[in-house]
Amino acid sequence: MVNINTNMEKLEFSYDGVRNTKGGNRFEEQRFYISPSHSQRTKYHSSVMNSRLQKLTELENQTNTIVFFLLGFSEDPELEPVLFGLFLFTYLVTVLGNLLIILAISTDSHLHTPMYLFLSNLSFTDICFSTVTVPKILGNLQRQSKAISFTGCLIQLSFVLLFAGMENFLLAAMAYDRYVAICNPLHYTIIMKPHFCLLMVLVSLCISIMDALLHGLMILRLSFCTDFEIPHFFCELDQVIKLACSDTLINNILVYVVTSTLGGVPLLGIIFSYFKIMSSILRRKSAGGRYKAFSTCGSHLSVVSLFYGTAFGVYISSAVTKSYWKTSVASLMYTVVPPMLNPFIYSLRNRDMKEALRKLI
């Protein structure tokens, strides 16, 4: 029997037969190999390269030709000046307020502690978070244009994921700092060393970057055909995936898995930290000691409630209502309001920050 196996590396012929020997018949298999010619191999590799180049060309054409339209809030041109003034005001307040927090912490040596190191990074993240979305909104309102290129949308989407993830991890790091300060005060300086705090910030940044790159690369594999209207004022991951005309199963699974992991783990860490903090505070006998311990984490608890409260609001609104206007309002509360209010929360509820800001101003 003759069997033939072919591939581009070799041609293989096998012959199975029976051979006579003195001891009787013995089954024998003989194999012969014939290597393909150089021209055959060259032709095969050339076809593979041409296929890959064609895919890259199609991807480049898609990124250059696709234009999305951010529907935002209103189609009424008369409201656009009002919206422009509102967004400009919130952006200026966000940038100036968080810059004051950063300057106050950097100039006051009493605030060179782990908690305020995390707070200064949080303020910087809030500035970047607002800068990714609000200037584009202002530009669209000023030009009365809602268009954004595929490349611009992808970049904006990636940076939104980056800074949202960074804020998520920083809030968890701040919760851990408060847990150590209240529950293990004698070991606070040993545990929360400067290099350990810096390592926490760097790890948070690296994980956030990988998350943003992962989702960005997964968006590149999608195809977009006819529907290019995004019912938001910025490129939001879930809404962009919904516009794709190709299979989005892997993207949707990835969104749920990564969001559940990178969002759920820090949130569980925050809940665990505050459960331990509340248990430690309630065990204290003096009311003054309880108030002093709770006042050290009151500002952070307010920021956590604002951040996760608005995030859950976005999720619930997108799941319950089909109105893009209501979903856009919920997204506005999540992306614009917390960065604007965080400086006020820390400056009004924190005595050390009040003193530092007073010295700075």
Side-chain angles (χ1 to χ4, degrees):
M1 180 176 65
V2 177
N3 298 320
I4 301 176
N5 181 27
T6 62
N7 57 43
M8 286 312 300
E9 297 299 328
K10 63 183 179 182
L11 303 179
E12 178 182 322
F13 297 85
S14 64
Y15 171 79
D16 301 338
V18 179
R19 181 180 179 186
N20 266 328
T21 62
K22 288 185 178 181
N25 295 332
R26 180 167 63 87
F27 181 82
E28 183 179 77
E29 179 181 349
Q30 297 182 359
R31 295 180 181 270
F32 305 92
Y33 303 98
I34 300 176
S35 298
S37 64
H38 177 72
S39 62
Q40 289 176 314
R41 290 196 300 267
T42 303
K43 184 177 180 181
Y44 171 74
H45 292 301
S46 177
S47 65
V48 172
M49 291 300 295
N50 288 335
S51 176
R52 292 177 179 176
L53 286 173
Q54 184 179 1
K55 291 181 180 179
L56 289 174
T57 303
E58 291 176 356
L59 178 61
E60 184 178 359
N61 291 336
Q62 173 174 287
T63 58
N64 290 333
T65 58
I66 291 179
V67 176
F68 293 113
F69 296 94
L70 304 171
L71 299 184
F73 291 114
S74 175
E75 298 291 339
D76 189 356
E78 295 180 357
L79 288 179
E80 289 186 351
V82 178
L83 293 175
F84 180 86
L86 178 63
F87 278 110
L88 180 61
F89 173 76
T90 57
Y91 181 65
L92 291 177
V93 171
T94 299
V95 173
L96 293 176
N98 284 286
L99 276 178
L100 284 175
I101 294 291
I102 296 172
L103 290 174
I105 293 173
S106 60
T107 55
D108 193 335
S109 59
H110 295 93
L111 300 182
H112 293 174
T113 61
M115 180 64 179
Y116 293 104
L117 169 67
F118 295 136
L119 177 57
S120 61
N121 281 276
L122 181 66
S123 296
F124 178 74
T125 302
D126 284 337
I127 293 174
C128 296
F129 199 7
S130 294
T131 303
V132 170
T133 57
V134 179
K136 179 60 179 176
I137 299 172
L138 295 174
N140 288 347
L141 291 173
Q142 184 69 25
R143 296 191 303 267
Q144 296 184 348
S145 170
K146 302 179 185 300
I148 183 172
S149 66
F150 180 85
T151 303
C153 185
L154 186 63
I155 292 173
Q156 187 184 63
L157 181 150
S158 299
F159 276 108
V160 167
L161 291 173
L162 167 63
F163 294 120
M166 191 67 182
E167 184 153 353
N168 187 33
F169 286 114
L170 286 174
L171 291 175
M174 295 169 76
Y176 178 73
D177 175 83
R178 292 300 85 200
Y179 160 73
V180 176
I182 295 175
C183 299
N184 299 287
L186 298 179
H187 298 89
Y188 180 78
T189 55
I190 299 175
I191 297 174
M192 302 301 294
K193 292 181 179 179
H195 69 273
F196 176 69
C197 298
L198 183 60
L199 179 63
M200 293 176 70
V201 174
L202 291 177
V203 169
S204 301
L205 179 61
C206 290
I207 295 175
S208 300
I209 290 175
M210 288 189 292
D211 175 43
L213 287 176
L214 177 63
H215 288 295
L217 292 174
M218 291 301 293
I219 290 293
L220 285 175
R221 61 179 288 274
L222 299 178
S223 298
F224 300 89
C225 302
T226 56
D227 190 6
F228 303 113
E229 293 184 345
I230 300 176
H232 275 279
F233 58 92
F234 71 98
C235 289
E236 198 263 342
L237 177 63
D238 184 57
Q239 297 297 327
V240 173
I241 292 176
K242 288 180 180 179
L243 297 181
C245 57
S246 56
D247 184 27
T248 60
L249 177 62
I250 298 177
N251 294 76
N252 289 324
I253 293 175
L254 190 66
V255 169
Y256 288 123
V257 172
V258 174
T259 302
S260 300
T261 304
L262 300 185
V265 172
L267 180 59
L268 290 176
I270 293 172
I271 293 173
F272 175 79
S273 297
Y274 274 102
F275 175 77
K276 289 292 186 180
I277 289 171
M278 294 303 297
S279 300
S280 176
I281 291 175
L282 293 176
R283 285 198 299 267
R284 301 186 180 187
K285 296 181 180 180
S286 65
R290 293 179 183 177
Y291 175 77
K292 183 178 180 181
F294 186 76
S295 63
T296 60
C297 56
S299 299
H300 176 256
L301 188 59
S302 301
V303 172
V304 168
S305 302
L306 181 64
F307 180 77
Y308 285 103
T310 53
F312 282 121
V314 172
Y315 175 78
I316 293 172
S317 66
S318 61
V320 173
T321 181
K322 299 299 181 181
S323 172
Y324 79 84
W325 188 85
K326 293 181 180 179
T327 306
S328 298
V329 171
S331 297
L332 173 66
M333 295 295 294
Y334 172 67
T335 56
V336 177
V337 175
M340 181 182 67
L341 294 183
N342 286 350
F344 293 99
I345 293 173
Y346 274 100
S347 61
L348 294 177
R349 296 179 60 91
N350 190 298
R351 185 177 60 184
D352 294 332
M353 280 302 307
K354 287 181 182 179
E355 292 296 328
L357 289 172
R358 190 176 294 112
K359 293 178 183 178
L360 181 65
I361 297 175

